Structures are given as C-alpha cells and as structure tokens.
Amino acid sequence: MRIGIFGGTFNPIHFGHLRAVEEVRQAVDLDKVFFIPSGYPALKTWDLEEASHRYRMTAISVKDNPYFEVLDIECRVPGRSYSVDTLSELNAQYPDEEFFFILGIDAFIDLPEWRMPEEIIGLSEFIVISRPQYSFMDVISSPYLNPEAVKEGLLRLDGKETSIFRSSLRSGRSIIFTSLTQMDISATAIRKLLRDGKSVKYLLPQDVESYIISNGLYLARIERGQKPEGGSGLKQQKQSH
C-alpha cells in the first residue's frame, strides 16, 4: 500500500489539516494516511496540551474517514519524539508498505535543522504541500534537491500552470510537490479565540470543539497560571522534530 504520514502537534487539529490531507490523498493516490500527533516535541510551547488530549481530538476528527487512521507511536514515547525515530519504527513495522512523508513548504525548508535529516530523507518518499505565505520556489535552496532539476517545475506550480510536480531527492527517494486549496486556518488563532471566549465554529469539527469545551482545554491553562501568549515560552532548540 501507499501510505501517507502526516505528523504535527494538532494543537488542536482543524479543518485546514483535514482538507489538506484529503486533497493530498486523492492527488497522489494514497491508499491510507496515518495521522501521528507528536508527543513532546523539542520545540514544545507553553500552550501545548497533553499528548493524550491531542491524540483523542485527532482520533475524533478522522473516525468517519476510512482512509484516515491515527497512531499513538509518538504520544506513547517518554521524552521528546523525533521524526527519524518514527519513520524508522514504521519501516520496521510495515516493511512491505511504501511511505510518503507529508510536509508543508515551511517544514521542508526547515528540514536541515531537524534531528538526523540526512537519514530522514532516505527513509520515505516525500510530499511537499503548499502553505499560505510561501511559494514553491522557496525550497530551491534545499540541500536535498538538485536546483536545476526542480526549478522549472516549481515555477510552473507557482504560476498555477500545474498543481503537481514530481522529482527526486538527492537520496534517490521521490518527492512530489502539490498545490492545494489554501485554507489559512491557524491552530494558534483557534487557541486565542478559545481563551477569549469567542466562537471557533466552522474552524474545526464540532465533535472536537465539544471535546475541548468539556475538558476545559486551552482556557484552563490560563486559569492554572501558565505563561500567556506573547511570553518567551521555552527556548527553541535545534535538532527538533
């Protein structure tokens, strides 16, 4: 099977995540997509809810889509979770499957800062999806691409002449760039709306909204006296993801 891997904090998961993955699944003809909520990433922020809550919200969101499945592979890891470990474990568990690591343009640009990126690009095929405020040409300087091999295709994507472009990484793995419907929905903005007591309807599934409210998520962190948004939070560290 051709299986997509879509990771993130999902803090909380919203329609932007879900619609993007559905479009990717159809565009690249994936048989299934694994949603993998992160456990305790290196770049953890002050308002990151517990992994168990984020896992449950993700499970609620994908329950009605037979092509989507949520895995707790990172949520059950003590300490920080890293993509290189996750990909290695998936390859060991499913040796006969073909994996496609789904990343936004911004995440692909940051890949050199991740833990063991040279190993990551050899563990999976890649799908890089469009992101608001970014162009596909922004990836041209990536050390994992041959600029001359991808330049024309990236320009065609940015010029709306095509919605998908296939090429190769320097590791020999394939990379697919695809332009999606832009839904500029931000988990950060959703958390702020919740803290301000404002509606988040039509930004995320209703069952997820109900879960957030019934469990007092996000707003409860203010009540417990944790650092408000705009504070320094935790110092960012390299070798994230």
Side-chain angles (χ1 to χ4, degrees), residues 98-236:
E98 185 178 15
F99 289 111
F100 293 79
F101 195 25
I102 303 169
L103 295 174
I105 291 174
D106 50 342
F108 185 74
I109 291 170
D110 289 341
L111 189 59
E113 303 299 324
W114 293 21
R115 186 179 188 184
M116 301 174 67
E118 298 291 342
E119 185 170 341
I120 289 174
I121 63 169
L123 289 171
S124 175
E125 316 306 317
F126 273 67
I127 300 172
V128 175
I129 61 177
S130 54
R131 290 279 288 150
Q133 315 305 320
Y134 287 87
S135 71
F136 281 99
M137 275 298 288
D138 289 337
V139 308
I140 195 72
S141 61
S142 169
Y144 312 116
L145 297 173
N146 180 340
E148 295 305 315
V150 300
K151 182 177 181 179
E152 182 178 349
L154 297 179
L155 287 171
R156 292 182 65 219
L157 282 167
D158 285 335
K160 310 300 182 185
E161 298 173 43
T162 186
S163 62
I164 192 165
F165 167 59
R166 292 175 168 84
S167 190
S168 298
L169 293 165
R170 292 188 184 276
S171 65
R173 291 282 194 167
S174 66
I175 185 166
I176 302 169
F177 300 91
T178 183
S179 182
L180 307 177
T181 302
Q182 295 301 292
M183 297 179 66
D184 196 3
I185 301 176
S186 161
T188 301
I190 290 173
R191 295 193 299 273
K192 186 176 189 304
L193 287 171
L194 289 164
R195 289 195 298 272
D196 291 344
K198 296 181 179 178
S199 172
V200 294
K201 289 187 183 300
Y202 313 120
L203 296 175
L204 40 67
Q206 184 175 344
D207 287 349
V208 173
E209 179 185 0
S210 297
Y211 183 92
I212 290 170
I213 293 170
S214 63
N215 287 276
L217 304 186
Y218 304 112
L219 177 60
R221 290 187 167 266
I222 293 287
E223 293 169 347
R224 290 197 295 268
Q226 297 195 11
K227 188 180 291 295
E229 191 151 314
S232 61
L234 296 180
K235 182 179 180 181
Q236 290 198 345

Side-chain angles (χ1 to χ4, degrees), residues 41-43 81-84 110-111 113-116 120 237-241:
L43 299 187
S81 52
Y82 294 101
S83 295
V84 64
D110 289 341
L111 189 59
E113 303 299 324
W114 293 21
R115 186 179 188 184
M116 301 174 67
I120 289 174
Q237 304 172 47
K238 297 222 176 186
Q239 295 202 342
S240 58
H241 302 275

Side-chain angles (χ1 to χ4, degrees), residues 39-41 74 76-82:
Y40 300 94
E74 292 193 359
R76 55 181 164 78
V77 172
R80 294 174 183 162
S81 52
Y82 294 101

